[in-house]
Amino acid sequence: MNFMEYNFRAIEQKWQTYWLENKTYKTDIRNDKPKFYVLDMFPYPSGAGLHVGHPLGYIASDIYSRFKRQQGFNVLHPMGYDAFGLPAEQYAIQTGQHPAVTTARNIARYREQLDKIGFCYDWDREIRTSEPDYYKWTQWAFIQMFNHYFDTTLQKAQPIASLVSHFETKGTEGIRAHCSEELSFTADEWKAYTEKEQQEVLLNYRIAYLADLKVNWCPALGTVLANDEVSEGLSVRGGHPVEQKVMRQWSLRVSAYANRLVSGLDTLEWTESLKETQKNWIGRSEGAEMKFFLKDSDVEIDIFTTRADTIYGVTFMVLAPESELVKVCTTAAQTEEVEAYLDWTKKRTERERQADRKVTGVFSGSYAINPVSGTEIPIWIADYVLAGYGTGAIMAVPAHDSRDYAFARHFNLPIIPLIEGCDVSEESFDAKEGILMNSGFLNGLTVKEAIQKTKEYLVEKAIGRVKVNFRLRDAIFSRQRYWGEPFPVFYKEGMPYMLDETKLPLVLPEVDKYLPTEKGEPPLGRAANWKTEEGYPLELSTMPGFAGSSAYYLRYMDPGNDKELVSRTANEYWRSVDLYIGGTEHATGHLIYSRFWNKFLFDLGLVCEEEPFRKLINQGMIQGRSNFVYRIKNSNTFVSLNLKDQYETTPIHVDVNIVHNDQLDLEQFRNWNPEYRTAEFILEDGKYICGWAVEKMSKSMYNVVNPDDIVERYGADTLRLYEMFLGPLEQSKPWDTNGIDGVHRFLKRLWSLFYRDGKSMLNDEKPTADELKILHKTIKKITTDIENFSYNTSVSAFMICVNELYSLKCNKKAILEPLVALLAPFAPHIAEELYHLLGNSGTVCDASFPKHNEEYLVESVINYPVSFNGKVRFTMSLPAALDKAEVERIALADENTQRFLNGAAIKKVIVVPGKIINIVC
RNA sequence: GCCCGGAUGGUGGAAUGGUAGACACGAAGGACUUAAAAUCCUUUGGCCUCACGGCUGUGCGGGUUCAAGUCCCGCUUCGGGUACCA
């Protein structure tokens, strides 16, 4: 097939068909090649389809995959769908349409859009989390978590059976297991427990466990949510209010892995900011746990503090309203007041509590004794102390903690400063610096020394211990929804049991409606025969969104395996993801859960790498760029941007797809909306220029750009190059179609080096030194740019290269052939066409990636800028071979130098060979 | 509040401490064309100058250096994350 001009539609269609028919992107284990695993965060297939923001990361990973393949790696680059989720279910509730139907339709649409962009995915490995043969392994992993506990000494998961045998011989003595609550019983007591009691005890240790928890309940969605699915008291999906509620729910003991989740970060090539986000979320803090005693009683109140050094400044204690000690500490006289306060706090939603930071609290009536100073201090109850963190009780040091300070001021409690020279008359002194005073044996020490000394003292006197606390909470794993993985769980006497693995997958049943039952049970309560063969009822909740995405990268290694999640052979070959590209929004959700899940499987010896994602790149968000027209008040007349100030106008969003380079297509505008059929315009220079603003990309702003439309108009290669040209990959930027003509022009110009006026321009002439220099400079630049994910500068390097070859009228195969191989990762369609035009067969995907030759890059002459006191005045060309002294001598002798010196004395001359000459005078 | 990023022409952006503004868009002028599109050529940070050329310039104020967009200190401001976490 010959093309008169760059006919991208025909070219792209031709090669997409070829790649499909020849299974160009099929991947298998190849022991003769090193592997490389490139992964995109798989999408949730929403009804809206892809907009131009979605492919940004996919294009970046595609370029890298193709690059690695051309360098001789066996590249695994799969794609699939995170197909369970709320939107399909909400849609089902409204329409009665089964979520599987909408999901399948959306996937088909996604696939069609993805195919048009020419990605090198191995679609034979596609997975969908909502397919039973996939979620079988999600259910299977859950069973393993149920059957294991976390040994805190070994810092790894162990079979629950070994815990049971320990209980049988020694009870809880010497148990080092991560648990919800510290238990204590003997072997005999254990044996005396009923089956039900034993099961209840074991739930306290299991990695997947059922417990009564204070959860985030979202009434509008009718389900509980994990902490990362709630932001500022509202659900992340939908923005509905969330309240706190105690419910019996499945949870994953993610917190057991907190230590390893923090330390593992050091082994990863992630950005510092992402590691920092995870560290903050996990929230490791080193401190001390300390025992206070209730006055005249042996009731013990444990507190956690990171400022053990401030012990002499404790002037009161505070309990969280939910603390079990509240009842114990409340005196008869205070009961009424305390109960009124508890009632009030219970009614407050999380959102109200966060929005309204008024100081509130109530005195319990009791006093505690400071274990170090022996001072008597009042015990208060206040909701600024959280039940879920530390021990739910604090020692308050108003002089050195701003929250305690506000509280002390409000209730007129004493404030004792402990740092020499600090001023606490207006605010607390929170900094961890200074010299201690008013602090008994700690006086004269620095804060750091005092913290250490206090910790030693606590241990010595047995009134406390060194403790590391984590902010990370266990992940709530139940959702009261339909469209998710069913739990492989049945109930016997109210206790949960796992289905036998041979019964997996437990397939999601049909229901008549996707709503809770009349009794308020989740939708699965509507399913007929939702019980085991033996008649035991099955779990009614389903798993959350992150369940299916937690181990999907493993499944891609061996997607068809019906015996195992992944075979040992496949896992040992592909190991872990070498490059993972996706958005930062998953920093505290998916990326924590996946790491946890993988570490658990690693502990069981089922996967060979402890960390799933070695290198991770976050592509920036593509924001919308909206266009506006300006309607003159009370008329149907629109005035162009630069004339609008002469009138009283209202800005109106206009569909960006009928605006080109900020110029409105008047005809399309009139047809866009019947209201504008009769619109009149006041133009500038015969054009209507629109205003613009950067906003979120959304339908209501009419700024959604569909990649299909871009492909239709310019071709996939232009879309790919343009998305990369837009700016640095990791930076957020607005989508702005202005400028796309530039990269399209580049491809046309490249084409014209090969083919012009209907005939081939190619020749076999020997390249000149200049041409070789252009080529090799480009090879070098592109190679380092790809390795640094600096794709925007790659595209400009290609433009420079083609512009230079164009002005040299270079149509030599010897230059153009390597150039095509170099461009192939970025613009595979045109590269494939040109590769064949050059007489090659097979696919450009296997053309080896060119290597630059430094010999061609040697400069013989250098254009030295000569500056005086750092200010450049003129340049001079000198042979590159000259050494420092010679350059200096020639430069000083130059008449220009004498002119700019103008008689001044030279103090110093700096010569950086190959760079610059600077004369100080 | 705390943590992490940014701030460079009309616009997107380039620049291992070494000629700021590469590359591209837009704009202006020109060639070709009946015209448009496409293509090609020229100019394009600001100010002064007929010109040669000069001055100025990377959010603000200091500093280090022969030399700072780049390093250090102090601010302003815009994003993102996170929060009564003791």
Side-chain angles (χ1 to χ4, degrees):
Chain A
M1 201 190 298
N2 282 337
F3 301 110
M4 298 293 282
E5 55 187 49
Y6 172 43
N7 183 344
F8 56 84
R9 284 192 197 92
I11 291 170
E12 292 178 358
Q13 173 109 66
K14 170 181 163 188
W15 294 110
Q16 284 173 9
T17 308
Y18 173 93
W19 295 329
L20 192 68
E21 284 171 356
N22 290 277
K23 291 209 174 280
T24 304
Y25 303 125
K26 185 158 173 51
T27 319
D28 283 306
I29 291 178
R30 289 270 304 263
N31 288 310
D32 58 329
K33 280 186 172 187
K35 69 96 189 187
F36 203 89
Y37 187 177
V38 179
L39 185 64
D40 292 301
M41 289 187 186
F42 64 168
Y44 172 77
S46 83
L50 295 172
H51 63 65
V52 286
H54 294 106
L56 184 78
Y58 305 158
I59 295 168
S61 66
D62 199 66
I63 291 170
Y64 206 79
S65 301
R66 292 170 177 276
F67 168 68
K68 280 296 197 185
R69 175 170 175 172
Q70 286 183 256
Q71 283 193 327
F73 288 84
N74 187 27
V75 176
L76 176 58
H77 189 217
M79 186 45 112
Y81 305 95
D82 189 13
F84 275 133
L86 276 178
E89 183 164 350
Q90 295 293 68
Y91 188 75
I93 291 169
Q94 289 162 22
T95 62
Q97 177 90 273
H98 197 290
V101 176
T102 17
T103 302
R105 191 167 60 215
N106 293 347
I107 286 176
R109 168 92 182 107
Y110 265 58
R111 177 63 190 276
E112 193 188 316
Q113 289 185 295
L114 290 170
D115 280 347
K116 284 186 183 162
I117 305 174
F119 293 122
C120 62
Y121 296 124
D122 176 1
W123 284 107
D124 289 352
R125 292 175 183 264
E126 180 194 316
I127 57 172
R128 301 178 183 190
T129 56
S130 59
E131 288 296 316
D133 53 356
Y134 177 85
Y135 66 66
K136 173 179 176 176
W137 299 104
T138 312
Q139 294 172 333
W140 172 85
F142 179 82
I143 294 175
Q144 310 311 311
M145 290 182 194
F146 183 81
N147 289 330
H148 285 80
Y149 75 100
F150 190 83
D151 185 307
T152 52
T153 307
L154 300 173
Q155 280 287 305
K156 66 182 284 201
Q158 293 289 300
I160 202 88
S162 53
L163 191 65
V164 172
S165 60
H166 187 110
F167 288 158
E168 282 166 355
T169 52
K170 301 191 192 102
T172 49
E173 196 194 328
I175 284 288
R176 294 281 179 270
H178 205 282
C179 55
S180 309
E181 197 185 333
E182 293 287 345
L183 300 177
S184 173
F185 52 79
T186 64
D188 289 337
E189 284 170 329
W190 167 260
K191 285 178 208 155
Y193 287 157
T194 63
E195 155 82 11
K196 187 175 170 165
E197 283 166 338
Q198 289 187 344
Q199 287 302 322
E200 190 69 57
V201 167
L202 290 177
L203 280 177
N204 188 50
Y205 298 95
R206 296 180 190 276
I207 288 177
Y209 64 96
L210 191 60
D212 293 312
L213 298 167
K214 195 169 167 191
V215 297
N216 307 303
W217 170 255
C218 179
L221 295 172
T223 187
V224 303
L225 296 168
N227 286 346
D228 69 281
E229 294 169 320
V230 180
S231 178
E232 297 181 355
L234 299 175
S235 67
V236 172
R237 282 236 184 229
H240 305 292
V242 170
E243 40 191 69
Q244 304 295 301
K245 191 171 163 184
V246 174
M247 288 175 75
R248 196 161 169 85
Q249 298 288 297
W250 284 104
S251 286
L252 301 185
R253 211 174 288 285
V254 180
S255 64
Y257 282 84
N259 237 327
R260 281 167 64 189
L261 288 169
V262 175
S263 60
L265 290 172
D266 294 337
T267 66
L268 301 176
E269 283 180 57
W270 293 13
T271 58
E272 281 312 308
S273 77
L274 182 56
K275 287 186 186 181
E276 205 55 42
T277 303
Q278 287 218 340
K279 277 182 192 162
N280 290 341
W281 185 259
I282 298 167
R284 184 191 149 95
S285 76
E286 285 184 36
E289 207 170 270
M290 224 182 282
K291 284 183 217 174
F292 282 62
F293 283 96
L294 195 60
K295 189 189 167 196
D296 303 326
S297 145
D298 57 359
V299 173
E300 188 180 309
I301 306 169
D302 289 336
I303 61 95
F304 175 75
T305 179
T306 53
R307 290 295 302 274
D309 61 305
T310 58
I311 184 73
Y312 283 89
V314 180
T315 54
F316 58 101
M317 290 186 80
V318 186
L319 304 177
E322 298 85 354
S323 169
E324 288 163 8
L325 291 165
V326 168
K327 219 177 247 174
V328 184
C329 296
T330 304
T331 59
Q334 289 297 104
T335 304
E336 204 176 316
E337 211 179 315
V338 169
E339 273 177 6
Y341 183 70
L342 295 185
D343 274 353
W344 180 76
T345 55
K346 215 173 273 175
K347 279 191 205 121
R348 293 224 293 175
T349 65
E350 189 72 350
R351 188 157 173 76
E352 281 169 348
R353 209 171 59 84
Q354 286 184 4
D356 164 29
R357 288 278 171 87
K358 262 196 317 214
V359 176
T360 65
V362 63
F363 178 46
S364 70
S366 303
Y367 292 82
I369 305 298
N370 184 323
V372 177
S373 68
T375 327
E376 193 175 303
I377 47 173
I379 302 170
W380 285 69
I381 297 151
D383 71 352
Y384 82 89
V385 173
L386 305 177
Y389 184 77
T391 60
I394 61 152
M395 63 178 214
V397 185
H400 303 290
D401 181 288
S402 54
R403 297 153 301 179
D404 297 345
Y405 186 88
F407 196 82
R409 271 296 164 99
H410 191 263
F411 290 106
N412 222 354
L413 295 159
I415 298 169
I416 307 174
L418 302 172
I419 304 290
E420 286 179 10
C422 71
D423 174 15
V424 294
S425 57
E426 292 299 326
E427 55 183 5
S428 60
F429 181 83
D430 291 12
K432 283 191 181 185
E433 57 195 39
I435 307 291
L436 278 272
M437 62 176 190
N438 296 336
S439 292
F441 70 102
L442 300 171
N443 283 339
L445 299 177
T446 64
V447 168
K448 262 192 189 153
E449 290 162 352
I451 291 176
Q452 190 50 38
K453 186 145 187 191
T454 315
K455 281 180 181 172
E456 286 163 19
Y457 180 87
L458 296 175
V459 174
E460 197 182 304
K461 302 279 178 191
I463 47 174
R465 61 190 177 114
V466 175
K467 177 96 195 272
V468 177
N469 237 323
F470 292 95
R471 198 186 80 100
L472 183 70
R473 300 271 74 89
D474 287 347
I476 296 176
F477 204 62
S478 304
R479 296 293 180 274
Q480 290 64 41
R481 303 290 301 198
Y482 174 73
W483 191 231
E485 299 86 347
F487 281 86
V489 172
F490 66 90
Y491 288 88
K492 201 157 81 179
E493 291 182 55
M495 293 309 295
Y497 292 86
M498 294 296 115
L499 289 181
D500 195 90
E501 287 178 22
T502 58
K503 298 276 192 289
L504 300 184
L506 175 63
V507 177
L508 187 65
E510 296 297 322
V511 291
D512 58 341
K513 271 192 264 180
Y514 306 99
L515 289 170
T517 65
E518 283 68 38
K519 284 186 282 176
E521 292 166 339
L524 291 192
R526 297 174 173 276
N529 282 320
W530 191 235
K531 52 194 173 209
T532 64
E533 287 162 20
E534 298 79 16
Y536 294 115
L538 289 161
E539 168 70 52
L540 298 182
S541 297
T542 54
M543 297 187 193
F546 64 82
S549 57
S550 288
Y552 76 113
Y553 53 89
L554 292 169
R555 192 63 183 162
Y556 281 134
M557 297 176 184
D558 197 8
N561 194 332
D562 60 355
K563 304 280 184 298
E564 299 158 285
L565 165 65
V566 54
S567 74
R568 182 162 290 268
T569 320
N571 182 246
E572 282 181 352
Y573 182 74
W574 297 111
R575 307 194 71 84
S576 63
V577 176
D578 295 288
L579 174 66
Y580 196 24
I581 296 190
T584 23
E585 66 273 21
H586 298 109
T588 54
H590 163 62
L591 287 174
I592 293 267
Y593 299 127
S594 264
R595 293 182 62 222
F596 153 76
W597 203 286
N598 192 81
K599 281 172 192 294
F600 171 74
L601 296 175
F602 176 78
D603 287 353
L604 271 57
L606 296 165
V607 300
C608 59
E609 293 284 350
E610 174 156 6
E611 287 288 345
F613 314 119
R614 204 178 55 77
K615 184 176 174 75
L616 188 141
I617 301 265
N618 289 124
Q619 89 274 19
M621 271 234 299
I622 296 274
Q623 297 145 299
R625 185 180 187 276
S626 313
N627 276 119
F628 298 93
V629 291
Y630 301 92
R631 174 155 67 182
I632 298 174
K633 287 238 162 97
N634 307 316
S635 79
N636 207 13
T637 303
F638 296 82
V639 57
S640 187
L641 177 68
N642 298 300
L643 303 173
K644 77 176 166 69
D645 292 345
Q646 301 167 20
Y647 305 86
E648 204 183 326
T649 59
T650 321
I652 297 170
H653 277 95
V654 60
D655 189 342
V656 295
N657 294 294
I658 61 170
V659 176
H660 191 62
N661 287 342
D662 291 337
Q663 188 185 335
L664 182 68
D665 185 314
L666 303 182
E667 199 49 43
Q668 287 188 42
F669 180 71
R670 287 201 178 100
N671 292 329
W672 181 48
N673 185 327
E675 196 187 329
Y676 306 137
R677 183 62 46 85
T678 57
E680 311 241 352
F681 303 96
I682 298 173
L683 306 176
E684 48 182 306
D685 304 328
K687 299 169 190 166
Y688 190 98
I689 306 297
C690 298
W692 60 275
V694 173
E695 298 175 303
K696 193 177 141 50
M697 198 176 273
S698 84
K699 265 188 181 166
S700 62
M701 312 271 194
Y702 297 107
N703 59 8
V704 177
V705 180
N706 187 311
D708 303 13
D709 294 342
I710 304 288
V711 169
E712 176 56 29
R713 185 160 182 174
Y714 296 98
D717 286 334
T718 298
L719 173 73
R720 292 170 62 106
L721 285 173
Y722 186 59
E723 292 227 3
M724 295 300 101
F725 189 59
L726 224 41
L729 183 58
E730 304 189 48
Q731 192 174 300
S732 283
K733 56 230 158 193
W735 174 267
D736 179 358
T737 311
N738 298 347
I740 197 166
D741 295 305
V743 294
H744 192 62
R745 233 166 258 160
F746 154 74
L747 288 176
K748 284 197 276 195
R749 186 172 267 211
L750 171 75
W751 183 262
S752 75
L753 290 177
F754 290 75
Y755 223 82
R756 202 179 313 171
D757 301 328
K759 57 179 192 292
S760 169
M761 303 292 289
L762 294 171
N763 65 58
D764 292 310
E765 285 169 37
K766 198 165 172 285
T768 65
D770 275 351
E771 289 163 348
L772 285 167
K773 190 192 276 181
I774 292 167
L775 174 67
H776 285 260
K777 175 180 81 179
T778 308
I779 295 172
K780 186 178 181 179
K781 174 78 176 146
I782 299 297
T783 309
T784 55
D785 277 355
I786 295 179
E787 280 159 358
N788 295 320
F789 300 92
S790 180
Y791 295 146
N792 56 329
T793 52
S794 303
V795 177
S796 80
F798 279 122
M799 288 171 169
I800 293 168
C801 177
V802 167
N803 286 347
E804 288 179 347
L805 294 177
Y806 188 87
S807 57
L808 291 176
K809 302 204 184 334
C810 171
N811 311 101
K812 298 171 184 170
K813 281 187 182 175
I815 297 294
L816 297 179
E817 189 152 354
L819 181 60
V820 164
L822 200 60
L823 183 69
F826 294 83
H829 308 86
I830 192 173
E832 192 77 276
E833 176 68 22
L834 296 175
Y835 182 71
H836 286 257
L837 197 65
L838 283 157
N840 297 291
S841 57
T843 169
V844 73
C845 302
D846 290 323
S848 74
F849 200 80
K851 289 193 174 72
H852 82 277
N853 185 340
E854 205 63 45
E855 274 174 41
Y856 298 128
L857 300 179
V858 177
E859 300 278 350
S860 56
V861 171
I862 288 165
N863 202 22
Y864 277 98
V866 181
S867 57
F868 293 79
N869 298 325
K871 202 164 274 192
V872 176
R873 292 302 180 181
F874 65 96
T875 61
M876 56 197 298
S877 287
L878 298 173
L882 293 183
D883 70 16
K884 223 169 158 172
E886 284 173 299
V887 171
E888 180 170 339
R889 188 179 53 76
I890 297 170
L892 291 181
D894 194 274
E895 57 173 31
N896 278 313
T897 304
Q898 296 308 318
R899 184 160 64 82
F900 280 104
L901 271 176
N902 199 15
I906 294 170
K907 291 186 188 138
K908 196 172 174 185
V909 179
I910 310 271
V911 175
V912 183
K915 288 280 186 203
I916 199 167
I917 300 162
N918 189 21
I919 297 166
V920 187
C921 55

